[in-house]
């Protein structure tokens, strides 16, 4: 088989890239190790930046998000149960975010891919890459007991944090930057109305809590807990009790309890691997960087990477210019690091750290009080949360 761009991974990065390339007349094949049901079933992100929603519309997959997505003009922060509001729209010249689950985004992407005849190979095992330093890289894998081989012009590793593509960059070239956190988020989904029309990021003495949602009938709640916590130790009642305590009496009283149908622990990690291009291999999304979920940046960053990359590849094929390709890693990383900084900072002011003494806790509360009182500080938070500009030329 021969194609122009071989994409490894059919997550958000891989599928947005496939649709973008196809809309620009560039051929690609997507190779995914799992099946569609598995990838579509993974409960992950919930908040889309305006630019991500606009891209969906531009790609012709924006109808359902426009109808079912919840547009949020701001968010709430809470300090030990006392709430204050950050008005994104007023602070950023009208920008908003949209609550629409990653599972829904994936469904829209796959439906469009099927309609547009984009080739996706599901259940591909043992992907290996070769020829990345030459002119004709290749992808080899097993599919239904047969060995498959695809020659292409470029390979894009969209295979997430645990993927294989990053490992094909020689150790002498690769630079990895990492911050580990000793805690994770225990999240639940329940078909109960959300406690509040907007999200609440709550800093509490006992740890962080987040009140989010998927729709007006479906709530998504998280509580900070130790990284190796066993979700089975958290029967629903224990979860609801702890959540209400951390959200405080005012919001706690508005929490509707009900049986959870999903409960899982997500680790928190900050991670960047540089460069995002080596020879004929590009990395995009979680394959190159991870942020803690506090800033709701994961999916949006993956989308920004592939917007940049698809424009660079279009310049290469249509104008014969490799300028965009050569600049991809530097330009993507510049923006990635800003999102890393924001996600790390937002995590640092909202979570309980194990080594936090009384002084550190007072500083945290002072910072949140300052944000509450200063329009300038609110603006810094708001413009990062709604998404920093992406210059795609
Ligand atoms: P992925 O979504 O990881 O997709 C990679 C794809 O590559 C997968 O389908 C995988 O099966 C496939 N793959 C991997 N290895 C191979 C291989 N060897 N061969 C072929 N295919 C392969 N972000 C937020 O903003 N908010 C959140 O609340 C949030 N919660 C999260 C919870 C969890 C448990 C995780 C893991 C992530 C969460 N994220 C969240 C982050 C967000 O989901 C990711 O940033 C986003 O999915 C990145 O998309 P991606 O396409 O780069 O990677
Ligand atoms: C979610 O709804 O899953 C969600 C929302 C905001 C975040 C992280 C996760 O910052």
């Amino acid at each position: 088989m021969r194609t122009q761009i071989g994409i490894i991974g059919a997550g958000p990065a891989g599928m947005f890239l496939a649709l973008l390339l196809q809309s620009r007349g560039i051929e690609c094949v997507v190779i995914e190790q799992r099946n569609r049901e598995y990838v579509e079933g993974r409960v992950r992100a919930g908040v889309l930046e305006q630019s991500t929603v606009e891209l969906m519309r531009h790609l012709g997959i924006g109808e359902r998000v426009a109808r079912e997505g919840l547009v949020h003009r701001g968010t709430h922060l809470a300090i030990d149960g006392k709430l204050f509001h950050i008005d994104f729209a007023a602070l950023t010249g009208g920008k908003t975010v949209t609550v629409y689950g990653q599972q829904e985004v994936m469904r829209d992407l796959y439906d469009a891919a099927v309609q547009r005849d984009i080739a996706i190979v599901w259940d591909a095992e043992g992907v290996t890459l070769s020829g990345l330093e030459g002119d004709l890289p290749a992808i080899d894998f097993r599919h239904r007991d047969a060995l498959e081989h695809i020659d292409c012009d470029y390979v894009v590793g969209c295979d997430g944090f645990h993927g294989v593509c990053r490992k094909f960059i020689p150790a002498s070239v690769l630079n990895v930057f990492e911050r580990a956190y000793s805690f994770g988020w225990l999240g639940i989904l329940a078909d109960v109305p959300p406690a509040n029309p907007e999200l609440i990021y709550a800093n509490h003495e006992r740890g962080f809590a987040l009140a989010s949602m998927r729709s007006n009938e479906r709530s998504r709640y998280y509580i900070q807990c130790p990284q190796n916590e066993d979700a089975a130790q958290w029967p629903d009642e224990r979860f609801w009790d702890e959540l209400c305590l951390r959200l405080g009496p005012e919001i706690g009283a508005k929490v509707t309890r009900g049986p959870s149908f999903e409960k899982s622990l997500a680790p928190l990690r900050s991670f960047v691997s540089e460069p995002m291009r080596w020879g004929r291999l590009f990395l995009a999304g979680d394959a190159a960087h991870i942020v803690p979920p506090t800033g709701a940046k994961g999916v949006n960053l993956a989308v920004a990477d592939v917007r940049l990359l698809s424009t660079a590849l279009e310049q290469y094929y249509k104008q014969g210019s490799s300028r965009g390709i050569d600049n991809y890693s530097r330009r993507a990383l510049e923006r990635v690091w800003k999102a890393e900084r924001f996600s790390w900072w937002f995590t640092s002011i909202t979570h309980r750290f194990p080594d936090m003494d009384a002084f550190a806790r007072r500083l945290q509360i002072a910072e949140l009080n300052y944000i509450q009182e200063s329009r300038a500080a609110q603006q810094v938070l708001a413009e990062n949360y709604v998404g920093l500009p992406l210059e795609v030329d």
Side-chain angles (χ1 to χ4, degrees):
M1 216 200 281
R2 172 90 179 84
T3 189
Q4 288 177 306
I5 309 295
I7 299 173
I8 314 299
M15 291 311 300
F16 270 103
L17 179 61
L19 260 65
L20 276 162
L21 292 178
Q22 207 240 11
S23 74
R24 291 161 185 206
I26 301 168
E27 240 179 60
C28 66
V29 176
V30 185
I31 296 143
E32 165 61 49
Q33 69 177 359
R34 307 281 189 172
N35 58 41
R36 176 172 171 172
E37 292 67 39
Y38 180 92
V39 183
E40 222 176 275
R42 287 188 296 212
V43 180
R44 288 179 164 185
V47 176
L48 304 181
E49 291 174 3
Q50 196 166 306
S51 61
T52 302
V53 175
E54 275 161 16
L55 178 63
M56 290 176 75
R57 191 167 46 238
H58 171 78
L59 286 169
I61 56 164
E63 196 200 306
R64 209 158 62 91
V65 64
R67 203 174 55 241
E68 297 174 18
L70 304 173
V71 175
H72 283 195
R73 297 173 56 83
T75 193
H76 282 93
L77 265 58
I79 321 168
D80 288 334
K82 291 186 295 296
L83 257 65
F84 65 96
H85 190 238
I86 308 285
D87 188 335
F88 298 148
L91 292 157
T92 63
K95 286 206 183 143
T96 57
V97 293
T98 298
V99 172
Y100 190 68
Q102 184 168 332
Q103 290 168 286
E104 306 307 320
V105 178
M106 294 320 299
R107 208 179 112 193
D108 296 338
L109 287 163
Y110 295 142
D111 285 351
V114 170
Q115 275 171 13
R116 298 171 196 188
D117 281 332
I118 291 175
I120 308 177
V121 181
W122 300 102
D123 300 309
E125 293 174 87
V127 166
T128 62
L129 311 179
S130 57
L132 296 169
E133 283 178 286
D135 290 338
L136 193 67
I139 305 166
D140 288 276
F141 56 96
R142 278 190 314 283
H143 187 237
R144 299 200 188 115
D145 295 329
L147 294 176
E148 302 288 345
H149 177 92
I150 304 181
D151 290 316
C152 43
D153 296 336
Y154 288 97
V155 179
V156 187
C158 297
D159 50 349
F161 180 67
H162 299 287
V164 290
C165 292
R166 191 172 64 241
K167 294 167 190 147
F168 285 93
I169 302 180
S172 58
V173 176
L174 205 66
N175 266 311
V176 166
F177 305 85
E178 200 162 8
R179 274 279 180 281
Y181 302 84
S182 60
F183 45 80
W185 284 12
L186 181 64
I188 64 160
L189 272 174
D191 278 334
V192 289
N196 193 52
E198 288 177 347
L199 272 61
I200 303 171
Y201 289 87
N203 175 316
H204 189 272
E205 182 75 48
R206 291 170 66 89
F208 171 78
L210 171 61
S212 182
M213 66 202 70
R214 288 293 175 270
S215 67
N216 291 325
E217 296 81 37
R218 182 166 290 180
S219 298
R220 176 80 164 146
Y221 291 110
Y222 296 97
I223 54 171
Q224 175 189 352
C225 64
Q227 196 174 43
N228 47 11
E229 193 80 327
D230 177 5
Q233 297 304 308
W234 287 86
D236 286 354
E237 273 320 296
R238 183 180 175 207
F239 185 96
W240 291 117
D241 288 346
E242 186 65 28
L243 176 77
C244 290
L245 215 136
R246 294 187 191 183
L247 291 175
E250 188 193 328
I251 291 297
K254 294 184 184 153
V255 170
T256 308
R257 298 180 181 215
S260 69
F261 61 88
E262 207 271 340
K263 192 182 283 155
S264 57
L265 190 86
L268 262 66
R269 184 182 279 124
S270 296
F271 169 90
V272 182
S273 124
E274 297 181 352
M276 286 172 65
R277 178 210 178 171
W278 182 70
R280 296 225 163 210
L281 171 68
F282 297 98
L283 298 179
D286 278 17
H289 42 75
I290 299 281
V291 285
T294 325
K297 286 280 153 268
V299 176
N300 298 295
L301 264 188
V303 170
D305 285 352
V306 299
R307 273 182 63 197
L308 213 51
L309 184 56
S310 60
T311 304
L313 289 168
E314 187 180 31
Q315 282 169 2
Y316 172 78
Y317 283 112
K318 303 241 169 98
Q319 295 152 29
S321 161
S322 58
R323 195 172 64 93
I325 285 176
D326 293 338
N327 287 334
Y328 167 71
S329 178
R330 182 184 55 76
R331 289 186 61 193
L333 281 167
E334 235 173 65
R335 195 167 178 283
V336 163
W337 273 111
K338 289 179 192 158
E340 288 286 343
R341 187 208 66 82
F342 171 66
S343 304
W344 161 83
W345 169 78
F346 201 25
T347 304
S348 78
I349 63 161
T350 46
H351 289 65
R352 168 113 209 145
F353 286 77
D355 57 354
M356 217 163 94
D357 59 10
F359 184 83
R361 170 91 183 129
R362 291 288 196 284
L363 288 182
Q364 224 184 29
I365 292 172
E367 184 151 10
L368 285 162
N369 284 335
Y370 176 62
I371 295 170
Q372 181 171 7
E373 289 151 16
S374 160
R375 185 183 159 90
Q378 289 185 11
Q379 199 161 17
V380 171
L381 197 162
E383 70 183 25
N384 279 279
Y385 194 94
V386 300
L388 295 175
L390 174 71
E391 308 295 327
V392 184
D393 49 36

